[in-house]
Amino acid sequence: EYTQMKAVECVEERRQAGFAGKRKWWCAKCDTYRPRRTHHCSTCRSCVLDMDHHCPWVNNCVGWRNHKYFLLFLMYAWIGCLWSAVVMMHAICNPTESMLVLQDGFDVFGNEQEQ
C-alpha cells in the first residue's frame, strides 16, 4: 500500500513538473524518455521507433529496426503462395507425370511400378 501511494505521488509530481501530458518526449504509459517519431504500442506495452503497425502474424511491432525484414517476409510469403499454386496446377493438369517413381521401380509408397 505504501509503495502504491509513493508511485502515485511520483506520477503526480512529474505531471506537475511537466513531464507527462505537456511534453511529447515523455511516455506516460512507459514512464520513461521517448525519442522523436516514437509511438507507444498498447499490445507490446513498449515504445517503438517509427512504428508502422503491430502485426499479429509476426507477433511484433513493425518499425524502424525491422521494416526491411517485414517486407522481405511478405515477399517470401507471396512467392511461396505463388509457387504452391503453380505446383498444384501442374499436378492437377498432368496427373500421370506427378507420380514419383524411384530408381528401382517402386513409388514413394513402396508399391512396385510397371515399366
Side-chain angles (χ1 to χ4, degrees):
E1 184 178 334
Y2 175 75
T3 56
Q4 287 179 337
M5 289 175 54
K6 194 67 172 167
V8 170
E9 289 174 9
C10 288
V11 170
E12 288 302 319
E13 288 174 6
R14 286 188 179 132
R15 283 195 182 141
Q16 289 173 358
F19 285 107
K22 293 180 183 175
R23 299 190 185 204
K24 293 183 178 184
W25 51 265
W26 189 263
C27 181
K29 295 175 184 172
C30 293
D31 198 27
T32 186
Y33 171 76
R34 183 174 78 178
R36 288 185 177 184
R37 297 182 306 276
T38 303
H39 300 283
H40 185 84
C41 178
S42 59
T43 307
C44 294
R45 295 188 180 121
S46 64
C47 289
V48 180
L49 187 62
D50 276 342
M51 180 177 165
D52 187 10
H53 68 285
H54 181 86
C55 181
W57 300 104
V58 294
N59 194 24
N60 204 357
C61 285
V62 177
W64 183 73
R65 293 185 202 170
N66 61 353
H67 198 262
K68 171 188 168 185
Y69 302 108
F70 180 72
L71 292 177
L72 285 172
F73 166 73
L74 290 179
M75 184 181 72
Y76 294 147
W78 186 80
I79 290 171
C81 289
L82 184 66
W83 178 258
S84 298
V86 167
V87 169
M88 285 187 60
M89 289 305 295
H90 179 71
I92 290 171
C93 294
N94 303 319
T96 56
E97 292 179 17
S98 64
M99 178 63 90
L100 293 176
V101 178
L102 301 176
Q103 256 184 346
D104 297 330
F106 292 95
D107 66 2
V108 292
F109 301 110
N111 302 324
E112 190 171 347
Q113 294 292 318
E114 299 173 8
Q115 291 189 10

